[in-house]
Structure formats: structure tokens, C-alpha cells
Amino acid sequence: MNTNSNSYTIIYASVMVIIVAFLLAFVSSTLKPLQDANVAIDKKSQILASLNIRGLEKSEIEPKYDAVIVGDQIIKADGTVVNDGAAKDEAAFVVDSKDINENNMPLYVANVDGATKYVIPVTGRGLWGGLWGYIALNEDCKTVFGAYMSHASETAGLGALLVEPWFQERFLGKKLFKDGSNDVALTVVKAGAVKEADFEVDGITGATLTTNGVAAMVKDGLQKYIGFINTKTAGTCCNEQACEKTEE
């Protein structure tokens, strides 16, 4: 064959493309289990961070998660349990954020030092891209035990600071409700503008739009779980004033 001909060039290029495509597909399929495992470990690390368990070595994450997380439940908007998550990593853990709806809501039940905590996933949008995180509630469902948040593309040194523990720790101990209300009052306000310390988290200086995105993510995300928050799976109301008002 004439190596200088157009047909030779086309055949040669086609063969090389096929070989490279095969190699890429082979490498991708070979590495996928490892990639999936790393994604799972990262997710578990985020959930643990919302429970104020941070700074673990990679090898420590899964054992700690297994010890702390009692179950990853799937519930309905009214608090009804669809899957108790006893077989961990098979229920809430595999629900993608885009698949969450009123009949398919992930909920992580944890035991931290003998106390029950509930971890709720939240998602939203910041200035440049997606936001996500986890809010851990104390057993009474009235106060925040911990929080973890991250982002896709917020501005370095400004909105991106939402990943810092010092910002996330501002949520600890905040109340979800004002007396007599069934609407989530917990929010994030412009830096330095906190007026009601029980419900408002001080935002990030110079990152107003990201702060607004975090506020919406937290408030809207928790409000979706109001059925669970008010009833819990045992039928106990977490916001007594609101429940009494409803009963009247």
C-alpha cells in the first residue's frame, strides 16, 4: 500500500482512533470500582462532618461511619418510613439529589455518644453553580447539631469559604422554629446583620449572593422535611407550639 496515499492516511487514522477508544474504555471500566469507592468515602466523610466528626484519615472514615450511622432511611414528606435503611448504603445513600421527591426523601439516622441525631441532605445554587450539604438535627428536632456544606464553583476567598469549618460551626445550636410557627426560621443573613441570634447565622463577608444561596438551600431543604420534623417516625411533635395550634 502506498503510504503517501489519502486512503492509507484515512485507514491509519481510523485504526488509531479505534485502538485509543478501546484503551480508554478499558481503563475507565477498570478504574470505575475504585472511583465509585472514593466517591462513597467522600460522601460518608461529608455526612460525618455534619455530625462534627472531622479530620479522619481515609482508612478511618468507613469504620467510623458504620459505627455512627444507624440507618439511611427513605421517608415520605409526611414522615412515613419507606425503607428503614437497616442494610446501610442501599437506601438513602444511593439516592441521587435529582431523584429526591416527596415520596423518596433520604434521611440518615445517627447515634453520637448515645444520642440520636438526624441528618438531612440539602441542595441549592450559589453565585456560580450548585451548592450542597447536610444539616444534622438533635433528637428533639428543634435545634441544629451540626452542618456541612460544599460548592461547585463559588469565588475563591469569598463564597468558597462556606466549606470552612468556622463558617459551618456557626449553625451549631441554632433553632429551627420561632414559637407558634410551623415554618423553618433558620436562615443565613448578610455578614454582620444578625438580629435574632437564635435563628440567624452570620453570613460570609463580601459574598452576599452565595450567602443568599446558602440561606435558601438550608431553609427550603429543611422545610421539605417538615412532616418528619413535626411527627418523627414515632409520632412525636418536634415543634410543640405549632402542633398545638394545628390541633386547635
Side-chain angles (χ1 to χ4, degrees), residues 43-79:
K43 185 173 182 177
K44 290 179 179 181
S45 175
Q46 294 178 21
I47 294 171
L48 288 174
S50 75
L51 293 164
N52 306 313
I53 302 172
R54 302 171 183 262
L56 299 177
E57 297 293 333
K58 186 175 181 180
S59 60
E60 299 175 314
I61 294 173
E62 286 199 315
K64 188 65 175 179
Y65 181 90
D66 289 340
V68 170
I69 300 301
V70 177
D72 56 326
Q73 299 181 351
I74 294 178
I75 64 173
K76 293 184 178 181
D78 63 2

mmCIF file of all heavy atoms in Angstrom, residues 43-79:
data_model
loop_
_atom_site.group_PDB
_atom_site.id
_atom_site.type_symbol
_atom_site.label_atom_id
_atom_site.label_comp_id
_atom_site.label_asym_id
_atom_site.label_seq_id
_atom_site.Cartn_x
_atom_site.Cartn_y
_atom_site.Cartn_z
ATOM 1 N N LYS A 43 -18.552 10.978 50.342
ATOM 2 C CA LYS A 43 -19.910 11.265 50.810
ATOM 3 C C LYS A 43 -20.047 10.931 52.286
ATOM 4 O O LYS A 43 -20.651 11.694 53.061
ATOM 5 C CB LYS A 43 -20.926 10.474 49.985
ATOM 6 C CG LYS A 43 -22.371 10.786 50.323
ATOM 7 C CD LYS A 43 -23.313 10.087 49.352
ATOM 8 C CE LYS A 43 -24.775 10.420 49.652
ATOM 9 N NZ LYS A 43 -25.696 9.799 48.667
ATOM 10 N N LYS A 44 -19.500 9.816 52.701
ATOM 11 C CA LYS A 44 -19.558 9.434 54.111
ATOM 12 C C LYS A 44 -18.797 10.432 54.976
ATOM 13 O O LYS A 44 -19.228 10.752 56.088
ATOM 14 C CB LYS A 44 -19.004 8.021 54.288
ATOM 15 C CG LYS A 44 -19.901 6.947 53.693
ATOM 16 C CD LYS A 44 -19.329 5.552 53.848
ATOM 17 C CE LYS A 44 -20.279 4.508 53.258
ATOM 18 N NZ LYS A 44 -19.776 3.128 53.397
ATOM 19 N N SER A 45 -17.687 10.920 54.455
ATOM 20 C CA SER A 45 -16.912 11.923 55.177
ATOM 21 C C SER A 45 -17.728 13.202 55.369
ATOM 22 O O SER A 45 -17.683 13.834 56.437
ATOM 23 C CB SER A 45 -15.622 12.233 54.407
ATOM 24 O OG SER A 45 -14.898 13.276 55.026
ATOM 25 N N GLN A 46 -18.499 13.583 54.352
ATOM 26 C CA GLN A 46 -19.331 14.779 54.448
ATOM 27 C C GLN A 46 -20.444 14.602 55.480
ATOM 28 O O GLN A 46 -20.738 15.515 56.258
ATOM 29 C CB GLN A 46 -19.932 15.093 53.077
ATOM 30 C CG GLN A 46 -18.904 15.486 52.024
ATOM 31 C CD GLN A 46 -19.526 15.745 50.661
ATOM 32 O OE1 GLN A 46 -20.717 16.010 50.548
ATOM 33 N NE2 GLN A 46 -18.723 15.663 49.617
ATOM 34 N N ILE A 47 -21.064 13.438 55.470
ATOM 35 C CA ILE A 47 -22.130 13.163 56.441
ATOM 36 C C ILE A 47 -21.570 13.181 57.860
ATOM 37 O O ILE A 47 -22.167 13.751 58.780
ATOM 38 C CB ILE A 47 -22.803 11.815 56.127
ATOM 39 C CG1 ILE A 47 -23.545 11.906 54.788
ATOM 40 C CG2 ILE A 47 -23.759 11.409 57.247
ATOM 41 C CD1 ILE A 47 -24.062 10.579 54.276
ATOM 42 N N LEU A 48 -20.400 12.590 58.050
ATOM 43 C CA LEU A 48 -19.762 12.602 59.371
ATOM 44 C C LEU A 48 -19.401 14.021 59.788
ATOM 45 O O LEU A 48 -19.531 14.380 60.965
ATOM 46 C CB LEU A 48 -18.506 11.726 59.351
ATOM 47 C CG LEU A 48 -18.737 10.212 59.281
ATOM 48 C CD1 LEU A 48 -17.406 9.479 59.115
ATOM 49 C CD2 LEU A 48 -19.475 9.702 60.515
ATOM 50 N N ALA A 49 -18.966 14.837 58.817
ATOM 51 C CA ALA A 49 -18.613 16.220 59.128
ATOM 52 C C ALA A 49 -19.822 16.987 59.650
ATOM 53 O O ALA A 49 -19.701 17.846 60.533
ATOM 54 C CB ALA A 49 -18.038 16.913 57.890
ATOM 55 N N SER A 50 -21.010 16.672 59.103
ATOM 56 C CA SER A 50 -22.222 17.345 59.585
ATOM 57 C C SER A 50 -22.534 16.947 61.021
ATOM 58 O O SER A 50 -23.275 17.654 61.718
ATOM 59 C CB SER A 50 -23.409 17.007 58.680
ATOM 60 O OG SER A 50 -23.879 15.688 58.895
ATOM 61 N N LEU A 51 -21.970 15.841 61.460
ATOM 62 C CA LEU A 51 -22.129 15.373 62.842
ATOM 63 C C LEU A 51 -20.936 15.777 63.706
ATOM 64 O O LEU A 51 -20.709 15.221 64.786
ATOM 65 C CB LEU A 51 -22.292 13.841 62.849
ATOM 66 C CG LEU A 51 -23.585 13.330 62.207
ATOM 67 C CD1 LEU A 51 -23.482 11.840 61.898
ATOM 68 C CD2 LEU A 51 -24.789 13.608 63.107
ATOM 69 N N ASN A 52 -20.157 16.743 63.192
ATOM 70 C CA ASN A 52 -18.985 17.279 63.894
ATOM 71 C C ASN A 52 -17.889 16.245 64.091
ATOM 72 O O ASN A 52 -17.114 16.310 65.051
ATOM 73 C CB ASN A 52 -19.399 17.870 65.254
ATOM 74 C CG ASN A 52 -20.503 18.899 65.111
ATOM 75 O OD1 ASN A 52 -20.440 19.782 64.265
ATOM 76 N ND2 ASN A 52 -21.543 18.773 65.929
ATOM 77 N N ILE A 53 -17.816 15.294 63.158
ATOM 78 C CA ILE A 53 -16.744 14.294 63.174
ATOM 79 C C ILE A 53 -15.874 14.572 61.954
ATOM 80 O O ILE A 53 -16.229 14.238 60.828
ATOM 81 C CB ILE A 53 -17.309 12.865 63.129
ATOM 82 C CG1 ILE A 53 -18.248 12.630 64.320
ATOM 83 C CG2 ILE A 53 -16.179 11.838 63.128
ATOM 84 C CD1 ILE A 53 -19.001 11.322 64.266
ATOM 85 N N ARG A 54 -14.748 15.209 62.184
ATOM 86 C CA ARG A 54 -13.897 15.673 61.087
ATOM 87 C C ARG A 54 -12.454 15.232 61.303
ATOM 88 O O ARG A 54 -12.083 14.749 62.365
ATOM 89 C CB ARG A 54 -13.938 17.202 60.983
ATOM 90 C CG ARG A 54 -15.336 17.793 60.761
ATOM 91 C CD ARG A 54 -15.321 19.309 60.881
ATOM 92 N NE ARG A 54 -16.635 19.903 60.759
ATOM 93 C CZ ARG A 54 -17.138 20.428 59.654
ATOM 94 N NH1 ARG A 54 -16.401 20.445 58.550
ATOM 95 N NH2 ARG A 54 -18.348 20.953 59.641
ATOM 96 N N GLY A 55 -11.656 15.441 60.264
ATOM 97 C CA GLY A 55 -10.218 15.206 60.379
ATOM 98 C C GLY A 55 -9.808 13.750 60.427
ATOM 99 O O GLY A 55 -8.706 13.428 60.884
ATOM 100 N N LEU A 56 -10.663 12.846 59.941
ATOM 101 C CA LEU A 56 -10.329 11.427 59.949
ATOM 102 C C LEU A 56 -9.410 11.071 58.781
ATOM 103 O O LEU A 56 -9.477 11.677 57.713
ATOM 104 C CB LEU A 56 -11.607 10.583 59.845
ATOM 105 C CG LEU A 56 -12.640 10.726 60.957
ATOM 106 C CD1 LEU A 56 -13.857 9.878 60.636
ATOM 107 C CD2 LEU A 56 -12.050 10.329 62.307
ATOM 108 N N GLU A 57 -8.567 10.087 58.996
ATOM 109 C CA GLU A 57 -7.804 9.526 57.893
ATOM 110 C C GLU A 57 -8.753 8.746 56.987
ATOM 111 O O GLU A 57 -9.809 8.287 57.431
ATOM 112 C CB GLU A 57 -6.712 8.593 58.425
ATOM 113 C CG GLU A 57 -5.659 9.275 59.284
ATOM 114 C CD GLU A 57 -4.791 10.243 58.483
ATOM 115 O OE1 GLU A 57 -4.636 10.021 57.255
ATOM 116 O OE2 GLU A 57 -4.283 11.211 59.085
ATOM 117 N N LYS A 58 -8.384 8.614 55.731
ATOM 118 C CA LYS A 58 -9.259 7.925 54.776
ATOM 119 C C LYS A 58 -9.628 6.526 55.262
ATOM 120 O O LYS A 58 -10.779 6.086 55.119
ATOM 121 C CB LYS A 58 -8.581 7.842 53.408
ATOM 122 C CG LYS A 58 -9.457 7.264 52.315
ATOM 123 C CD LYS A 58 -8.764 7.312 50.963
ATOM 124 C CE LYS A 58 -9.662 6.739 49.872
ATOM 125 N NZ LYS A 58 -9.007 6.786 48.535
ATOM 126 N N SER A 59 -8.680 5.841 55.857
ATOM 127 C CA SER A 59 -8.931 4.474 56.326
ATOM 128 C C SER A 59 -9.867 4.433 57.537
ATOM 129 O O SER A 59 -10.414 3.379 57.878
ATOM 130 C CB SER A 59 -7.605 3.799 56.696
ATOM 131 O OG SER A 59 -6.942 4.513 57.731
ATOM 132 N N GLU A 60 -10.072 5.576 58.189
ATOM 133 C CA GLU A 60 -10.911 5.630 59.384
ATOM 134 C C GLU A 60 -12.364 5.969 59.071
ATOM 135 O O GLU A 60 -13.249 5.772 59.914
ATOM 136 C CB GLU A 60 -10.362 6.683 60.353
ATOM 137 C CG GLU A 60 -8.954 6.415 60.843
ATOM 138 C CD GLU A 60 -8.415 7.549 61.693
ATOM 139 O OE1 GLU A 60 -8.560 8.725 61.292
ATOM 140 O OE2 GLU A 60 -7.854 7.262 62.764
ATOM 141 N N ILE A 61 -12.614 6.500 57.860
ATOM 142 C CA ILE A 61 -13.946 7.030 57.546
ATOM 143 C C ILE A 61 -15.024 5.949 57.555
ATOM 144 O O ILE A 61 -16.055 6.093 58.228
ATOM 145 C CB ILE A 61 -13.920 7.766 56.191
ATOM 146 C CG1 ILE A 61 -13.041 9.014 56.316
ATOM 147 C CG2 ILE A 61 -15.334 8.141 55.753
ATOM 148 C CD1 ILE A 61 -12.798 9.727 55.003
ATOM 149 N N GLU A 62 -14.819 4.874 56.807
ATOM 150 C CA GLU A 62 -15.859 3.854 56.707
ATOM 151 C C GLU A 62 -16.146 3.176 58.055
ATOM 152 O O GLU A 62 -17.320 2.996 58.407
ATOM 153 C CB GLU A 62 -15.502 2.821 55.637
ATOM 154 C CG GLU A 62 -15.677 3.372 54.224
ATOM 155 C CD GLU A 62 -15.781 2.274 53.188
ATOM 156 O OE1 GLU A 62 -14.966 1.337 53.266
ATOM 157 O OE2 GLU A 62 -16.665 2.371 52.315
ATOM 158 N N PRO A 63 -15.132 2.791 58.829
ATOM 159 C CA PRO A 63 -15.425 2.193 60.146
ATOM 160 C C PRO A 63 -16.195 3.151 61.060
ATOM 161 O O PRO A 63 -17.116 2.731 61.775
ATOM 162 C CB PRO A 63 -14.040 1.873 60.714
ATOM 163 C CG PRO A 63 -13.161 1.732 59.517
ATOM 164 C CD PRO A 63 -13.686 2.736 58.522
ATOM 165 N N LYS A 64 -15.813 4.426 61.030
ATOM 166 C CA LYS A 64 -16.498 5.405 61.872
ATOM 167 C C LYS A 64 -17.932 5.601 61.398
ATOM 168 O O LYS A 64 -18.866 5.685 62.220
ATOM 169 C CB LYS A 64 -15.751 6.743 61.832
ATOM 170 C CG LYS A 64 -16.287 7.769 62.829
ATOM 171 C CD LYS A 64 -16.075 7.304 64.262
ATOM 172 C CE LYS A 64 -16.481 8.366 65.258
ATOM 173 N NZ LYS A 64 -16.306 7.905 66.667
ATOM 174 N N TYR A 65 -18.132 5.667 60.097
ATOM 175 C CA TYR A 65 -19.476 5.823 59.532
ATOM 176 C C TYR A 65 -20.360 4.648 59.931
ATOM 177 O O TYR A 65 -21.501 4.829 60.359
ATOM 178 C CB TYR A 65 -19.374 5.926 58.012
ATOM 179 C CG TYR A 65 -20.700 6.104 57.305
ATOM 180 C CD1 TYR A 65 -21.214 7.381 57.070
ATOM 181 C CD2 TYR A 65 -21.429 5.008 56.853
ATOM 182 C CE1 TYR A 65 -22.434 7.559 56.413
ATOM 183 C CE2 TYR A 65 -22.641 5.175 56.196
ATOM 184 C CZ TYR A 65 -23.133 6.452 55.983
ATOM 185 O OH TYR A 65 -24.339 6.602 55.340
ATOM 186 N N ASP A 66 -19.833 3.447 59.808
ATOM 187 C CA ASP A 66 -20.595 2.247 60.171
ATOM 188 C C ASP A 66 -20.953 2.236 61.651
ATOM 189 O O ASP A 66 -22.008 1.720 62.044
ATOM 190 C CB ASP A 66 -19.808 0.984 59.821
ATOM 191 C CG ASP A 66 -19.728 0.749 58.320
ATOM 192 O OD1 ASP A 66 -20.572 1.307 57.588
ATOM 193 O OD2 ASP A 66 -18.814 0.022 57.883
ATOM 194 N N ALA A 67 -20.091 2.819 62.468
ATOM 195 C CA ALA A 67 -20.341 2.838 63.902
ATOM 196 C C ALA A 67 -21.356 3.906 64.302
ATOM 197 O O ALA A 67 -22.122 3.722 65.261
ATOM 198 C CB ALA A 67 -19.030 3.079 64.652
ATOM 199 N N VAL A 68 -21.370 5.011 63.562
ATOM 200 C CA VAL A 68 -22.210 6.158 63.931
ATOM 201 C C VAL A 68 -23.575 6.131 63.257
ATOM 202 O O VAL A 68 -24.599 6.427 63.883
ATOM 203 C CB VAL A 68 -21.484 7.482 63.591
ATOM 204 C CG1 VAL A 68 -22.426 8.672 63.726
ATOM 205 C CG2 VAL A 68 -20.272 7.659 64.492
ATOM 206 N N ILE A 69 -23.626 5.776 61.967
ATOM 207 C CA ILE A 69 -24.885 5.792 61.226
ATOM 208 C C ILE A 69 -25.672 4.516 61.505
ATOM 209 O O ILE A 69 -25.242 3.414 61.173
ATOM 210 C CB ILE A 69 -24.638 5.947 59.721
ATOM 211 C CG1 ILE A 69 -23.894 7.263 59.439
ATOM 212 C CG2 ILE A 69 -25.962 5.928 58.965
ATOM 213 C CD1 ILE A 69 -24.619 8.507 59.906
ATOM 214 N N VAL A 70 -26.846 4.693 62.106
ATOM 215 C CA VAL A 70 -27.697 3.556 62.449
ATOM 216 C C VAL A 70 -28.428 3.043 61.217
ATOM 217 O O VAL A 70 -28.629 1.846 61.038
ATOM 218 C CB VAL A 70 -28.713 3.955 63.538
ATOM 219 C CG1 VAL A 70 -29.652 2.801 63.860
ATOM 220 C CG2 VAL A 70 -27.981 4.428 64.786
ATOM 221 N N GLY A 71 -28.865 3.962 60.361
ATOM 222 C CA GLY A 71 -29.570 3.585 59.142
ATOM 223 C C GLY A 71 -29.703 4.764 58.200
ATOM 224 O O GLY A 71 -29.695 5.911 58.642
ATOM 225 N N ASP A 72 -29.763 4.477 56.916
ATOM 226 C CA ASP A 72 -30.003 5.533 55.923
ATOM 227 C C ASP A 72 -31.397 5.309 55.337
ATOM 228 O O ASP A 72 -31.579 4.564 54.391
ATOM 229 C CB ASP A 72 -28.915 5.564 54.850
ATOM 230 C CG ASP A 72 -28.727 4.235 54.136
ATOM 231 O OD1 ASP A 72 -28.892 3.189 54.784
ATOM 232 O OD2 ASP A 72 -28.428 4.246 52.937
ATOM 233 N N GLN A 73 -32.350 5.954 55.965
ATOM 234 C CA GLN A 73 -33.746 5.724 55.636
ATOM 235 C C GLN A 73 -34.208 6.480 54.392
ATOM 236 O O GLN A 73 -33.616 7.483 53.996
ATOM 237 C CB GLN A 73 -34.641 6.144 56.813
ATOM 238 C CG GLN A 73 -34.379 5.385 58.095
ATOM 239 C CD GLN A 73 -35.312 5.822 59.208
ATOM 240 O OE1 GLN A 73 -36.052 6.801 59.080
ATOM 241 N NE2 GLN A 73 -35.285 5.094 60.315
ATOM 242 N N ILE A 74 -35.299 5.992 53.830
ATOM 243 C CA ILE A 74 -36.047 6.736 52.823
ATOM 244 C C ILE A 74 -37.429 6.963 53.408
ATOM 245 O O ILE A 74 -38.082 6.017 53.863
ATOM 246 C CB ILE A 74 -36.142 5.967 51.493
ATOM 247 C CG1 ILE A 74 -34.744 5.845 50.856
ATOM 248 C CG2 ILE A 74 -37.097 6.672 50.528
ATOM 249 C CD1 ILE A 74 -34.726 5.055 49.568
ATOM 250 N N ILE A 75 -37.850 8.225 53.435
ATOM 251 C CA ILE A 75 -39.146 8.550 54.003
ATOM 252 C C ILE A 75 -39.983 9.339 52.996
ATOM 253 O O ILE A 75 -39.470 9.811 51.986
ATOM 254 C CB ILE A 75 -39.008 9.378 55.298
ATOM 255 C CG1 ILE A 75 -38.353 10.731 54.992
ATOM 256 C CG2 ILE A 75 -38.206 8.614 56.333
ATOM 257 C CD1 ILE A 75 -38.327 11.678 56.185
ATOM 258 N N LYS A 76 -41.267 9.470 53.295
ATOM 259 C CA LYS A 76 -42.155 10.331 52.521
ATOM 260 C C LYS A 76 -42.221 11.698 53.200
ATOM 261 O O LYS A 76 -41.776 11.867 54.331
ATOM 262 C CB LYS A 76 -43.551 9.716 52.422
ATOM 263 C CG LYS A 76 -43.613 8.431 51.604
ATOM 264 C CD LYS A 76 -45.057 7.941 51.486
ATOM 265 C CE LYS A 76 -45.145 6.685 50.634
ATOM 266 N NZ LYS A 76 -46.555 6.210 50.484
ATOM 267 N N ALA A 77 -42.816 12.660 52.506
ATOM 268 C CA ALA A 77 -42.891 14.014 53.034
ATOM 269 C C ALA A 77 -43.649 14.090 54.353
ATOM 270 O O ALA A 77 -43.395 14.973 55.174
ATOM 271 C CB ALA A 77 -43.537 14.942 52.006
ATOM 272 N N ASP A 78 -44.572 13.154 54.581
ATOM 273 C CA ASP A 78 -45.338 13.163 55.827
ATOM 274 C C ASP A 78 -44.620 12.447 56.966
ATOM 275 O O ASP A 78 -45.144 12.335 58.073
ATOM 276 C CB ASP A 78 -46.732 12.553 55.621
ATOM 277 C CG ASP A 78 -46.673 11.078 55.206
ATOM 278 O OD1 ASP A 78 -45.562 10.517 55.116
ATOM 279 O OD2 ASP A 78 -47.741 10.490 54.961
ATOM 280 N N GLY A 79 -43.413 11.960 56.698
ATOM 281 C CA GLY A 79 -42.628 11.289 57.724
ATOM 282 C C GLY A 79 -42.730 9.783 57.710
ATOM 283 O O GLY A 79 -42.017 9.103 58.454
#
